[in-house]
Amino acid sequence: MTALDTSAPTGSSAGFFKRLRKQYPNAGLAYIYILPAFIVMAFITFYPIGYQLWMSVTDFQLKHLREMNPDYVGIGNFVDVLVKGLPVPNYDFGRILVFNLLWTFINVFLHVAIGILVAVALNTEDLPGKKIYRSLFVIPWALPSLVAGMIWGNMWHDKFGAINLMLQQIGLRGDIRWLLDTKPFIDLPQIGLVLPLSFIAVLIANVWLGWPFMMVIATGALQSIPTELYEAAEVDGATRWQQFWRITLPLLRPAMVPAVMIGIMMTFNQFNIIYFVTGGGPLGLTEILVTQGFKLVNPQGWYGVASAFNIIVFIILGIITLITNRISRATEPYYA
Amino acid sequence: MTTLTKSKRRPVTAADVAAIVWAAGVFLGSLALAVFGIYTLVGAGGYQAIILGAVLLIVGGLLIVRYARLLMAIITERDMVRARKTARLDLIQLFLLFMLAIVLFPVLWIVSMSLDPRDLSRPTGLTIIPPGATLDAYKTVLTQPSANPVSFLQLLRNSLLVSGGTALGAIIVGTSAAYAFSRLKFPIRRLGMLGFVLVLMIPPGGTLAPLFVLLNTVKLRTTLWGLAIAFTSSALPFAIWNMKGFIDALPYDLEEAAQIDGCNRTQSFIRVILPLAVPGMAVTGLWGFLTGWSEFILSWTFLVDPERFTLPMVLRGMVGQYASGTPWSQFSAMAIVMSIPPIIIFFLLQKYLVSGLAVGGVKG
């Protein structure tokens, strides 16, 4: 029988299942373990996604929530979102997308850079106060992001925010309209980079929030680097700078790559910070896709349009994730 | 000792010169600091100047002692190794203090605002303890947190229920699925894993309307359980991912040994893997707890009964609650009170944080 099975891979369906069972003896058990997760996801995630697909081709609005009888509009919503534009102020899908990508990569870069820098600094031998630093540095991460967003929104206030008050205290003008100034602060239209001051404000807020996570990851990875490597490098006459680039960074990479992936996804959809610090303003210049999508539902009630919008965002993030996943291979099983 | 003797004979390098200049500079600087501290103390006006002067004096004094001993060592023993090490350590210390100041600045700012009795009026300067500091805002927040007749304890209970439920759900459901993804072979495993991770990419609020309809039909929409289930779903991708990485890193031999001793898969999962996976589960639970604790889009949209409101909803409601603006003192007090539970949990789980975040265990 076995000889027959292997020699005829495209045999009857019974043979196929037999082969499958032989190849995967634990498949049934695996499905039982996954079942609870699958049920939760099916109802709370996969079903809504399917539902959203239907809504995205209708003119579903607030009034339809009771009757569920919206009209079919085909791909009209998608065309509106991508090409024709929506009748909300300062709407421009392309600009928001470019800003969203820029926002994500600048943020994640800074989170990782600062996180590694501090982790390496904290890894110094004989440094007093390490434990205290490690405890206090996680505060931004432990703080609910909603609270962090609201605090920073208040701190950047032009009249009674902490930043301007501090500037006044040290003798500067301290009347900077951080969140309201519409003048471009970064003005490089040649490469499509025109950003207001509020970008800097919201970036600082999110970097403040984001680096401790990377620091914790890097700290864990640093502790698993054997000290003999550094001793050997020292014997060979390598400077600390060379040791950092040749030993520390390459050995941190395996731990940092998946963390970066999580970081990219969290930052791309960082609703609480954008929404509560700048609210997308001024003139929608710091709007990211999720805040714009939420506004389509919340004041506007355009569920159909919002669904189309969210599906497009989902596809964009899917592409980004597939690319990063290819790089990190995080879904690869360890024990095959 | 051998390194010391060696370094004595070594020619003086540029790094050594820099270390000497640094040591001398810090020594002079700390003298100035101490003198300025004494000056502030003597001409003190108010308790803030006294505190500042005392701090300056103590820091200056400590630095003087440290660097005087270092300079002695440099002069008498030409101990350049110690000079460079001290310079490096203190520069790192300075950098870390700077980072600490940045981290704590917003925290001190809301502490200060929460103590400010002027509430709506605009603060005019930066002070840690504002004039006429009072705990009234905390009293208000704890007795009458919102315009609705709901006690603070009720809100706290609701928030804990939702967040705790999310954490528990993420741990149980996530660990079980992660075990299958990590240790069992089955068709469409990679696809399934990706399918779960894909959920991380759904924009928050993106599934608002369908969920509204779905939870409405099963009569869970306005309940805290409905919310906990919905949040579990958004915490699951991270839970599965993190737990899979964590279980990946556990040695397979242990489980094999258990199986040779007659355990089946499920027994070895429960008896071998689960006890070892506690750090990973702790961090997974923490993540779930944080997800539930600060979520407001779904709760804001779904809940109608003030009896079931959560803390973030009340905090959100404070901003722009009155025409005259936001009651900033109460807002700050509420923000602080609301941040205490997650921070306590963070500190309790601190020892697990480094080992429990499995991203390091995933092979690159």
Side-chain angles (χ1 to χ4, degrees):
Chain A
M1 271 310 275
T2 40
L4 192 88
D5 271 17
T6 44
S7 64
T10 50
S12 65
S13 64
F16 174 74
F17 281 120
K18 202 175 239 172
R19 232 161 17 81
L20 214 57
R21 189 166 306 160
K22 201 163 188 183
Q23 203 181 344
Y24 303 108
N26 290 316
L29 190 65
Y31 293 133
I32 294 173
Y33 274 91
I34 294 174
L35 192 66
F38 181 76
I39 292 175
V40 174
M41 299 296 250
F43 281 103
I44 307 297
T45 309
F46 300 135
Y47 158 79
I49 291 176
Y51 198 91
Q52 229 177 2
L53 281 173
W54 169 70
M55 274 171 41
S56 69
V57 292
T58 68
D59 71 337
F60 205 110
Q61 288 177 30
L62 201 56
K63 59 183 180 198
H64 297 116
L65 272 176
R66 296 245 170 274
E67 303 289 322
M68 311 296 267
N69 57 349
D71 293 328
Y72 177 77
V73 293
I75 59 161
N77 288 332
F78 290 88
V79 175
D80 285 351
V81 167
L82 287 176
V83 190
K84 280 186 20 208
L86 300 171
V88 285
N90 309 303
Y91 180 85
D92 179 348
F93 189 87
R95 196 203 65 227
I96 298 174
L97 174 62
V98 169
F99 177 79
N100 206 154
L101 290 172
L102 202 70
W103 155 259
T104 307
F105 290 113
I106 293 180
N107 259 302
V108 173
F109 174 79
L110 290 175
H111 295 172
V112 172
I114 298 174
I116 290 180
L117 199 65
V118 174
V120 168
L122 279 175
N123 211 34
T124 315
E125 261 178 90
D126 304 327
L127 186 81
K130 267 191 222 187
K131 275 218 166 108
I132 300 170
Y133 284 124
R134 279 192 186 137
S135 310
L136 292 178
F137 281 166
V138 294
I139 286 179
W141 181 17
L143 216 60
S145 61
L146 167 107
V147 172
M150 288 179 167
I151 294 171
W152 278 97
N154 170 264
M155 295 212 336
W156 291 115
H157 194 281
D158 55 327
K159 288 222 181 57
F160 51 98
I163 305 290
N164 272 349
L165 288 175
M166 188 184 68
L167 291 178
Q168 283 167 18
Q169 208 109 5
I170 58 173
L172 295 171
R173 278 179 49 210
D175 58 351
I176 302 167
R177 301 172 76 229
W178 293 101
L179 302 178
L180 303 171
D181 206 340
T182 53
K183 245 189 6 259
F185 176 72
I186 299 170
D187 195 6
L188 298 164
Q190 304 89 335
I191 51 170
L193 217 60
V194 180
L195 295 166
L197 201 52
S198 61
F199 171 69
I200 305 296
V202 76
L203 180 70
I204 290 176
N206 200 48
V207 168
W208 182 85
L209 185 82
W211 71 268
F213 173 68
M214 297 297 176
M215 180 204 73
V216 170
I217 306 274
T219 301
L222 278 179
Q223 283 166 2
S224 67
I225 300 179
T227 42
E228 294 89 52
L229 287 178
Y230 293 104
E231 284 159 16
E234 201 119 359
V235 170
D236 291 343
T239 63
R240 279 182 186 280
W241 189 244
Q242 284 169 325
Q243 289 174 26
F244 176 75
W245 287 100
R246 300 279 171 78
I247 301 175
T248 310
L249 270 193
L251 288 177
L252 279 181
R253 209 190 136 261
M256 295 317 290
V257 167
V260 166
M261 272 183 73
I262 294 181
I264 287 175
M265 281 185 264
M266 304 300 271
T267 313
F268 193 89
N269 282 341
Q270 183 52 281
F271 179 87
N272 280 341
I273 295 299
I274 295 275
Y275 191 77
F276 289 117
V277 176
T278 66
L283 300 179
L285 284 172
T286 57
E287 202 81 77
I288 60 172
L289 293 167
V290 284
T291 53
Q292 182 66 69
F294 180 67
K295 285 175 183 173
L296 294 178
V297 171
N298 208 304
Q300 310 283 10
W302 298 335
Y303 288 94
V305 175
S307 297
F309 187 91
N310 283 326
I311 287 169
I312 294 166
V313 174
F314 182 71
I315 292 170
I316 292 170
L317 245 184
I319 294 168
I320 296 173
T321 312
L322 281 180
I323 296 170
T324 41
N325 185 54
R326 197 29 68 82
I327 300 168
S328 85
R329 299 238 165 245
T331 47
E332 203 69 40
Y334 190 50
Y335 292 98
Chain B
M1 275 323 276
T2 45
T3 47
L4 270 182
T5 24
K6 233 192 269 169
S7 69
K8 263 190 200 171
R9 307 236 170 91
R10 214 167 38 95
V12 175
T13 63
D16 295 340
V17 175
I20 295 173
V21 171
W22 162 264
V26 173
F27 184 70
L28 293 177
S30 50
L31 276 178
L33 210 63
V35 170
F36 184 66
I38 294 169
Y39 174 79
T40 323
L41 261 182
V42 172
Y47 68 98
Q48 286 197 345
I50 293 179
I51 294 172
L52 181 73
V55 168
L56 287 177
L57 192 58
I58 291 169
V59 172
L62 285 174
L63 281 174
I64 289 172
V65 174
R66 183 172 167 83
Y67 277 85
R69 283 164 68 182
L70 175 66
L71 287 172
M72 283 302 286
I74 294 177
I75 293 164
T76 56
E77 297 169 45
R78 298 193 59 194
D79 188 350
M80 293 319 297
V81 174
R82 180 167 161 193
R84 286 215 308 266
K85 194 178 167 190
T86 309
R88 205 164 58 82
L89 275 182
D90 288 1
L91 275 173
I92 289 173
Q93 193 72 254
L94 200 66
F95 166 68
L96 291 173
L97 281 173
F98 173 73
M99 291 307 290
L100 191 64
I102 293 176
V103 163
L104 291 184
F105 182 61
V107 178
L108 293 177
W109 166 247
I110 54 164
V111 169
S112 155
M113 273 206 303
S114 74
L115 297 172
D116 201 321
R118 291 165 294 180
D119 205 15
L120 296 177
S121 66
R122 287 131 201 228
T124 47
L126 278 186
T127 44
I128 291 179
I129 298 170
T134 145
L135 291 172
D136 280 355
Y138 289 92
K139 216 159 57 189
T140 314
V141 160
L142 292 178
T143 50
Q144 179 73 36
S146 64
N148 301 308
V150 183
S151 70
F152 176 80
L153 279 180
Q154 181 69 28
L155 294 170
L156 182 69
R157 200 191 68 95
N158 293 346
S159 268
L160 283 176
L161 196 75
V162 169
S163 316
T166 309
L168 209 65
I171 291 175
I172 295 172
V173 179
T175 309
S176 143
Y179 179 75
F181 281 120
S182 172
R183 290 288 162 89
L184 301 173
K185 255 176 98 176
F186 58 95
I188 65 159
R189 180 182 46 195
R190 284 201 59 178
L191 196 72
M193 187 75 193
L194 259 183
F196 283 114
V197 174
L198 277 179
V199 179
L200 265 183
M201 297 176 293
I202 295 175
T207 51
L208 209 61
L211 266 184
F212 192 99
V213 177
L214 176 74
L215 292 176
N216 229 359
T217 29
V218 293
K219 305 267 179 268
L220 277 176
R221 173 174 65 89
T222 60
T223 68
L224 295 168
W225 287 114
L227 276 189
I229 295 171
F231 296 160
T232 300
S233 166
S234 46
L236 260 188
F238 176 81
I240 294 177
W241 203 9
N242 188 48
M243 288 313 298
K244 178 190 172 287
F246 195 87
I247 295 172
D248 277 351
L250 296 177
Y252 193 55
D253 315 357
L254 292 172
E255 219 182 328
E256 228 163 26
Q259 277 162 23
I260 290 169
D261 289 347
C263 283
N264 62 30
R265 276 279 178 181
T266 304
Q267 281 166 333
S268 72
F269 169 64
I270 292 171
R271 294 201 191 144
V272 179
I273 296 295
L274 282 189
L276 290 174
V278 166
M281 292 197 285
V283 172
T284 304
L286 173 72
W287 196 281
F289 185 87
L290 290 181
T291 305
W293 193 256
S294 64
E295 209 283 348
F296 105 102
I297 299 179
L298 292 185
S299 18
W300 189 259
T301 318
F302 290 174
L303 299 180
V304 280
D305 182 2
E307 281 284 311
R308 291 180 182 156
F309 279 6
T310 58
L311 290 171
M313 294 171 69
V314 173
L315 188 72
R316 167 77 179 119
M318 281 181 177
V319 179
Q321 190 180 357
Y322 308 114
S324 51
T326 305
W328 284 113
S329 299
Q330 285 165 40
F331 167 84
S332 310
M334 188 65 166
I336 289 168
V337 170
M338 199 187 137
S339 305
I340 290 172
I343 288 180
I344 289 176
I345 294 177
F346 242 84
F347 285 141
L348 288 179
L349 297 182
Q350 183 118 44
K351 63 176 174 160
Y352 291 134
L353 262 192
V354 169
S355 63
L357 268 168
V359 278
V362 180
K363 297 289 165 218

Coordinates of all heavy atoms in Angstrom, one line a residue, chain B residues 56-113:
Chain B
L56 N 21.6 71.1 44.8 CA 22.9 71.6 44.1 C 24.1 71.3 45.0 O 25.1 70.8 44.6 CB 22.8 73.0 43.8 CG 21.9 73.4 42.6 CD1 21.9 74.9 42.5 CD2 22.3 72.7 41.4
L57 N 24.0 71.6 46.3 CA 25.1 71.4 47.2 C 25.4 70.0 47.4 O 26.6 69.6 47.3 CB 24.7 72.0 48.6 CG 25.8 72.2 49.6 CD1 26.9 73.1 49.0 CD2 25.3 72.7 50.9
I58 N 24.4 69.1 47.5 CA 24.7 67.7 47.7 C 25.4 67.1 46.4 O 26.4 66.5 46.5 CB 23.4 66.9 48.0 CG1 22.9 67.3 49.4 CG2 23.6 65.4 47.9 CD1 21.5 66.9 49.7
V59 N 24.8 67.4 45.2 CA 25.3 66.9 44.0 C 26.7 67.4 43.8 O 27.7 66.7 43.5 CB 24.4 67.3 42.8 CG1 25.1 67.0 41.5 CG2 23.1 66.6 42.9
G60 N 26.9 68.7 44.0 CA 28.3 69.3 43.9 C 29.2 68.7 44.8 O 30.4 68.3 44.4
G61 N 28.8 68.5 46.1 CA 29.7 67.9 47.1 C 30.1 66.4 46.7 O 31.3 66.1 46.7
L62 N 29.2 65.7 46.2 CA 29.5 64.3 45.8 C 30.4 64.3 44.7 O 31.4 63.5 44.7 CB 28.2 63.6 45.4 CG 27.3 63.1 46.6 CD1 26.0 62.6 46.0 CD2 28.0 62.1 47.5
L63 N 30.2 65.2 43.7 CA 31.1 65.2 42.5 C 32.5 65.6 42.9 O 33.5 65.1 42.4 CB 30.5 66.1 41.5 CG 29.4 65.6 40.6 CD1 28.8 66.6 39.7 CD2 29.9 64.4 39.8
I64 N 32.6 66.6 43.9 CA 33.9 67.1 44.3 C 34.7 65.9 44.9 O 35.8 65.7 44.5 CB 33.7 68.2 45.3 CG1 33.2 69.5 44.6 CG2 35.1 68.5 46.0 CD1 32.9 70.6 45.6
V65 N 34.0 65.2 45.8 CA 34.7 64.0 46.4 C 35.2 63.0 45.4 O 36.4 62.6 45.3 CB 33.8 63.4 47.5 CG1 34.5 62.1 48.0 CG2 33.5 64.3 48.6
R66 N 34.2 62.7 44.5 CA 34.5 61.7 43.5 C 35.7 62.1 42.6 O 36.6 61.3 42.3 CB 33.3 61.4 42.6 CG 33.4 60.4 41.6 CD 32.0 60.1 41.0 NE 32.0 59.4 39.8 CZ 32.0 58.0 39.7 NH1 32.1 57.4 40.8 NH2 32.0 57.4 38.6
Y67 N 35.6 63.3 42.1 CA 36.7 63.7 41.2 C 38.0 64.1 41.9 O 39.0 64.0 41.3 CB 36.1 64.9 40.3 CG 35.4 64.2 39.1 CD1 34.1 63.9 39.3 CD2 36.0 63.9 37.9 CE1 33.4 63.3 38.2 CE2 35.3 63.3 36.9 CZ 34.0 63.0 37.1 OH 33.4 62.3 36.0
A68 N 37.9 64.6 43.1 CA 39.2 64.8 43.8 C 40.0 63.5 44.0 O 41.2 63.5 43.7 CB 38.9 65.4 45.2
R69 N 39.2 62.5 44.3 CA 39.9 61.2 44.5 C 40.5 60.7 43.1 O 41.6 60.2 43.0 CB 39.0 60.1 45.1 CG 38.8 60.4 46.5 CD 37.6 59.6 47.1 NE 37.8 58.2 47.1 CZ 36.8 57.3 47.5 NH1 35.7 57.8 47.9 NH2 37.1 56.1 47.4
L70 N 39.7 60.9 42.1 CA 40.2 60.5 40.8 C 41.4 61.3 40.4 O 42.4 60.7 39.9 CB 39.0 60.8 39.7 CG 39.4 60.5 38.3 CD1 39.7 59.0 38.1 CD2 38.4 60.9 37.3
L71 N 41.4 62.6 40.6 CA 42.5 63.5 40.2 C 43.8 63.0 41.0 O 44.9 62.9 40.4 CB 42.2 64.9 40.4 CG 41.3 65.6 39.4 CD1 40.9 67.0 39.9 CD2 41.9 65.6 38.0
M72 N 43.6 62.7 42.3 CA 44.7 62.2 43.1 C 45.3 60.9 42.4 O 46.5 60.8 42.3 CB 44.2 61.8 44.5 CG 44.0 63.0 45.4 SD 45.5 64.0 45.6 CE 46.4 62.9 46.7
A73 N 44.3 60.0 42.0 CA 44.8 58.8 41.4 C 45.6 59.0 40.1 O 46.6 58.4 39.8 CB 43.6 57.8 41.2
I74 N 45.1 60.0 39.3 CA 45.8 60.3 38.1 C 47.2 60.8 38.4 O 48.1 60.4 37.8 CB 44.9 61.3 37.3 CG1 43.6 60.7 36.8 CG2 45.7 61.8 36.1 CD1 42.7 61.7 36.1
I75 N 47.2 61.7 39.4 CA 48.5 62.4 39.6 C 49.5 61.4 40.2 O 50.6 61.3 39.8 CB 48.3 63.6 40.5 CG1 47.5 64.7 39.8 CG2 49.6 64.2 41.0 CD1 46.9 65.8 40.7
T76 N 49.1 60.7 41.3 CA 50.0 59.9 42.0 C 50.3 58.6 41.3 O 51.5 58.1 41.3 CB 49.5 59.6 43.4 OG1 48.2 58.9 43.3 CG2 49.4 60.8 44.3
E77 N 49.3 57.9 40.7 CA 49.6 56.6 40.1 C 49.5 56.6 38.6 O 49.7 55.6 38.0 CB 48.5 55.6 40.7 CG 48.6 55.4 42.2 CD 47.5 54.6 42.7 OE1 47.1 53.6 42.0 OE2 46.8 55.0 43.7
R78 N 49.2 57.7 38.0 CA 48.9 57.8 36.6 C 47.9 56.8 36.1 O 48.1 56.1 35.1 CB 50.2 57.7 35.8 CG 51.2 58.8 36.2 CD 52.3 58.9 35.2 NE 51.9 59.1 33.8 CZ 52.8 59.0 32.8 NH1 54.0 58.6 33.0 NH2 52.3 59.2 31.6
D79 N 46.9 56.7 36.9 CA 45.9 55.6 36.7 C 44.9 56.0 35.6 O 43.8 56.5 35.8 CB 45.1 55.3 38.0 CG 44.3 54.1 37.8 OD1 44.1 53.6 36.7 OD2 43.7 53.6 38.9
M80 N 45.3 55.9 34.3 CA 44.5 56.4 33.2 C 43.2 55.5 33.0 O 42.2 55.9 32.5 CB 45.3 56.5 31.9 CG 46.4 57.5 32.0 SD 45.9 59.0 32.8 CE 44.6 59.5 31.7
V81 N 43.4 54.2 33.3 CA 42.2 53.3 33.1 C 41.0 53.8 33.9 O 39.9 53.9 33.5 CB 42.6 51.8 33.5 CG1 41.4 50.9 33.4 CG2 43.7 51.3 32.6
R82 N 41.3 54.1 35.2 CA 40.3 54.6 36.1 C 39.7 55.9 35.6 O 38.5 56.2 35.6 CB 40.9 54.7 37.5 CG 39.8 55.2 38.4 CD 40.3 55.1 39.9 NE 39.5 55.9 40.7 CZ 39.8 56.2 42.0 NH1 40.9 55.7 42.5 NH2 39.1 57.0 42.7
A83 N 40.6 56.8 35.1 CA 40.2 58.1 34.6 C 39.2 57.9 33.4 O 38.1 58.5 33.4 CB 41.4 58.9 34.1
R84 N 39.5 57.0 32.5 CA 38.7 56.9 31.3 C 37.4 56.2 31.7 O 36.3 56.6 31.3 CB 39.4 56.0 30.3 CG 40.5 56.7 29.5 CD 40.5 56.3 28.1 NE 40.6 54.8 28.0 CZ 41.8 54.1 27.9 NH1 42.9 54.8 27.9 NH2 41.8 52.8 27.9
K85 N 37.4 55.3 32.7 CA 36.2 54.6 33.1 C 35.3 55.5 33.8 O 34.1 55.5 33.5 CB 36.6 53.4 34.0 CG 35.5 52.5 34.2 CD 35.8 51.3 35.1 CE 34.6 50.6 35.5 NZ 34.8 49.6 36.5
T86 N 35.8 56.4 34.7 CA 35.0 57.3 35.4 C 34.3 58.3 34.4 O 33.1 58.6 34.5 CB 35.8 58.1 36.4 OG1 36.6 57.2 37.2 CG2 35.0 59.0 37.3
A87 N 35.1 58.8 33.4 CA 34.6 59.7 32.4 C 33.4 59.1 31.7 O 32.4 59.6 31.5 CB 35.7 60.1 31.5
R88 N 33.6 57.8 31.3 CA 32.6 57.1 30.5 C 31.4 56.9 31.3 O 30.2 57.2 30.9 CB 33.2 55.8 30.1 CG 32.5 55.2 28.8 CD 33.4 54.1 28.2 NE 33.6 53.0 29.2 CZ 32.7 52.1 29.4 NH1 31.6 52.0 28.8 NH2 33.0 51.1 30.3
L89 N 31.5 56.4 32.6 CA 30.4 56.1 33.4 C 29.6 57.4 33.7 O 28.4 57.4 33.6 CB 30.8 55.6 34.8 CG 31.1 54.1 34.8 CD1 31.5 53.6 36.2 CD2 29.8 53.3 34.4
D90 N 30.3 58.5 33.9 CA 29.6 59.7 34.2 C 28.9 60.3 33.0 O 27.8 60.9 33.2 CB 30.5 60.7 34.9 CG 30.9 60.3 36.3 OD1 30.4 59.2 36.7 OD2 31.6 61.0 37.0
L91 N 29.5 60.2 31.9 CA 28.8 60.7 30.7 C 27.5 59.9 30.4 O 26.5 60.4 30.1 CB 29.7 60.5 29.4 CG 30.7 61.7 29.2 CD1 31.7 61.4 28.1 CD2 29.9 62.9 28.9
I92 N 27.6 58.5 30.6 CA 26.4 57.7 30.5 C 25.4 58.1 31.5 O 24.2 58.2 31.2 CB 26.8 56.2 30.6 CG1 27.6 55.8 29.4 CG2 25.6 55.3 30.8 CD1 28.2 54.4 29.5
Q93 N 25.8 58.3 32.7 CA 24.9 58.7 33.8 C 24.2 60.0 33.4 O 23.0 60.2 33.6 CB 25.7 58.9 35.1 CG 24.9 59.0 36.3 CD 24.3 57.7 36.7 OE1 23.1 57.5 36.6 NE2 25.1 56.8 37.2
L94 N 25.0 60.9 32.8 CA 24.4 62.2 32.4 C 23.3 62.0 31.3 O 22.2 62.6 31.4 CB 25.5 63.1 31.8 CG 25.3 64.6 31.8 CD1 25.2 65.1 33.2 CD2 26.4 65.3 31.1
F95 N 23.6 61.2 30.4 CA 22.7 60.9 29.3 C 21.4 60.2 29.9 O 20.3 60.6 29.5 CB 23.4 59.9 28.3 CG 22.4 59.3 27.3 CD1 21.8 60.0 26.3 CD2 22.2 57.9 27.4 CE1 20.9 59.4 25.5 CE2 21.3 57.3 26.5 CZ 20.7 58.0 25.6
L96 N 21.6 59.3 30.8 CA 20.4 58.6 31.4 C 19.6 59.6 32.2 O 18.3 59.5 32.2 CB 20.8 57.4 32.2 CG 21.4 56.3 31.4 CD1 22.0 55.2 32.3 CD2 20.4 55.7 30.5
L97 N 20.2 60.5 32.9 CA 19.5 61.5 33.7 C 18.7 62.4 32.7 O 17.5 62.8 33.0 CB 20.5 62.4 34.5 CG 20.9 61.7 35.8 CD1 22.0 62.6 36.4 CD2 19.8 61.5 36.8
F98 N 19.3 62.7 31.6 CA 18.6 63.6 30.6 C 17.4 62.8 30.1 O 16.3 63.4 30.0 CB 19.6 63.9 29.5 CG 18.9 64.6 28.3 CD1 18.6 65.9 28.4 CD2 18.7 63.9 27.1 CE1 18.0 66.5 27.3 CE2 18.1 64.5 26.0 CZ 17.8 65.8 26.1
M99 N 17.5 61.6 29.8 CA 16.4 60.8 29.3 C 15.3 60.7 30.4 O 14.1 60.8 30.1 CB 16.8 59.3 29.0 CG 17.6 59.2 27.7 SD 16.9 60.0 26.3 CE 15.6 58.9 25.9
L100 N 15.7 60.5 31.7 CA 14.8 60.4 32.8 C 14.0 61.7 32.9 O 12.8 61.7 33.1 CB 15.6 60.2 34.1 CG 14.7 59.8 35.3 CD1 14.0 58.5 35.0 CD2 15.6 59.6 36.5
A101 N 14.7 62.9 32.7 CA 14.0 64.1 32.8 C 12.9 64.2 31.7 O 11.8 64.6 32.0 CB 15.0 65.3 32.6
I102 N 13.2 63.8 30.5 CA 12.2 63.8 29.4 C 11.1 62.9 29.7 O 9.9 63.2 29.5 CB 12.9 63.4 28.1 CG1 13.9 64.4 27.7 CG2 11.9 63.2 27.0 CD1 14.7 64.1 26.4
V103 N 11.4 61.7 30.3 CA 10.3 60.7 30.6 C 9.4 61.3 31.7 O 8.2 61.2 31.6 CB 10.9 59.4 31.0 CG1 9.9 58.5 31.7 CG2 11.5 58.6 29.8
L104 N 10.0 61.9 32.7 CA 9.2 62.3 33.8 C 8.5 63.7 33.6 O 7.6 64.0 34.4 CB 10.1 62.4 35.1 CG 10.6 61.0 35.6 CD1 11.3 61.2 36.9 CD2 9.4 60.1 35.8
F105 N 9.0 64.5 32.6 CA 8.5 65.8 32.5 C 6.9 65.8 32.4 O 6.3 66.5 33.1 CB 9.1 66.5 31.3 CG 8.7 67.9 31.1 CD1 8.9 68.9 32.0 CD2 8.0 68.3 29.9 CE1 8.4 70.2 31.8 CE2 7.6 69.6 29.7 CZ 7.8 70.5 30.7
P106 N 6.3 65.1 31.4 CA 4.9 65.1 31.3 C 4.2 64.6 32.6 O 3.1 65.1 33.0 CB 4.6 64.1 30.2 CG 5.8 64.1 29.4 CD 6.9 64.2 30.4
V107 N 4.8 63.6 33.3 CA 4.3 63.1 34.5 C 4.2 64.2 35.6 O 3.2 64.4 36.2 CB 5.1 61.9 35.0 CG1 4.5 61.3 36.3 CG2 5.1 60.8 33.9
L108 N 5.3 64.9 35.7 CA 5.3 65.9 36.7 C 4.3 67.0 36.4 O 3.7 67.6 37.2 CB 6.8 66.5 36.9 CG 7.8 65.6 37.4 CD1 9.2 66.2 37.4 CD2 7.4 65.2 38.8
W109 N 4.2 67.3 35.1 CA 3.3 68.3 34.6 C 1.8 68.0 35.0 O 1.1 68.8 35.6 CB 3.4 68.4 33.1 CG 2.3 69.2 32.4 CD1 1.4 68.7 31.5 CD2 2.1 70.6 32.5 NE1 0.6 69.7 31.1 CE2 1.0 70.9 31.7 CE3 2.6 71.7 33.3 CZ2 0.4 72.2 31.6 CZ3 2.1 72.9 33.2 CH2 1.0 73.2 32.3
I110 N 1.4 66.7 34.8 CA 0.0 66.5 35.2 C -0.1 66.4 36.7 O -1.2 66.7 37.3 CB -0.6 65.2 34.5 CG1 0.2 64.0 34.7 CG2 -0.9 65.5 33.1 CD1 -0.6 62.7 34.4
V111 N 0.9 65.9 37.4 CA 0.8 65.9 38.9 C 0.6 67.4 39.4 O -0.2 67.7 40.2 CB 2.1 65.3 39.5 CG1 2.1 65.6 41.0 CG2 2.2 63.9 39.2
S112 N 1.4 68.3 38.8 CA 1.3 69.7 39.1 C -0.1 70.2 38.8 O -0.7 70.9 39.6 CB 2.4 70.5 38.4 OG 2.0 71.8 38.3
M113 N -0.6 69.9 37.6 CA -1.9 70.4 37.2 C -3.0 69.8 38.2 O -4.0 70.5 38.5 CB -2.3 70.0 35.8 CG -1.7 71.0 34.8 SD -2.7 70.9 33.3 CE -2.6 69.2 32.8

